Structure formats: structure tokens, C-alpha cells
Amino acid sequence: MQSQVEVGTIICKDIHEARADLSRLRRVVNQVAVENGKFIAAAATHPFSRWHDQQITDDQRYEDLHSDMQEVARRLLIFGMHVHLGFGADEHARALMIDIQNQLRYFLPHILALSTSSPFWHGRNTGLKAIERSFLKVCPAQESADL
């Protein structure tokens, strides 16, 4: 979707490398936006764009998404972030992964609270703390977990 910017870091060995690469990517994206008379905003939804005015990016991945999901994909003016973590395949790595996942469960309510930043849809206040969660419920490929 042309209302979104998608970037990917290098494979990072630690949080310091991840932070440095994300900072670099944000600078590059911001520079390209400014050069094209645009601005980058970090939000969960676009506060006033209309889904029917959005163009699908000319890329096979997005064309497949649009073809598979049709109307659901056309109205996706929601943004997000996901992170891939690699731990390895040996027994120690699997045990570490399970331990970290168990520790992360404590933070899920905090992460949910931080994500409630998008009450606006089509220029109006929806009365919801986070409208994008209602859109994810109809997306089979983007289904969010119950918390």
C-alpha cells in the first residue's frame, strides 16, 4: 500500500546494532519524504485518509495481498511494526527462546496500552482507543491474538 513505508534492518547481533540501523533507516526515509514534499508520521492509523483513494504498490507481494483479500486489503490504512528474533536451533537456544517468551508475557498489557494511539478514522473520532484492532479481526493473515 502506498500509504505505508516498509523497511527492514540488517540482521543485528544485539540491541545496539538494531538501534543504530533503525536510526539510519529513519533518517533515510525522512530524507526521501522531504525530498518529495511529504512527511513521515508514526501512527497506528492514518487520521484522515480515505481507503478508496489509496493506490496499491506495484509489487507482486502487494498485488497478491490485494487479489487474495480484495475489499479487506483495500481498506487497510493501518500501520504496524513487527520484529523477527532468531535464537538458533540447539537445545540451549530453544530454552532461551521459551524463557524470553515467558518473560515477555508480563509486558503484553503494557504493549497493548502503548498501542492505543489511533482513535481517528476518516477524520472523525471513533470513540475507540485503537480502531485498528477492529480491522485486524477481519484479516485472516493479520489476525491479532486475544489478550
Side-chain angles (χ1 to χ4, degrees), residues 14-81:
D14 57 36
I15 193 70
H16 304 291
E17 275 189 25
R19 181 183 182 126
D21 202 37
L22 282 171
S23 295
R24 178 190 64 79
L25 287 168
R26 287 182 67 143
R27 282 191 304 275
V28 169
V29 166
N30 191 53
Q31 179 182 348
V32 170
V34 168
E35 290 170 0
N36 288 279
K38 307 293 182 197
F39 295 97
I40 300 298
T45 63
H46 196 288
F48 56 82
S49 283
R50 306 278 187 224
W51 65 265
H52 46 77
D53 296 333
Q54 301 306 308
Q55 297 176 5
I56 304 298
T57 300
D58 186 19
D59 180 270
Q60 192 62 47
R61 176 175 172 222
Y62 295 104
E63 290 170 8
D64 289 347
L65 178 67
H66 182 254
S67 176
D68 292 345
M69 297 178 62
Q70 298 287 312
E71 193 68 22
V72 173
R74 281 190 281 277
R75 69 180 199 166
L76 283 179
L77 284 179
I78 60 175
F79 317 122
M81 177 185 78

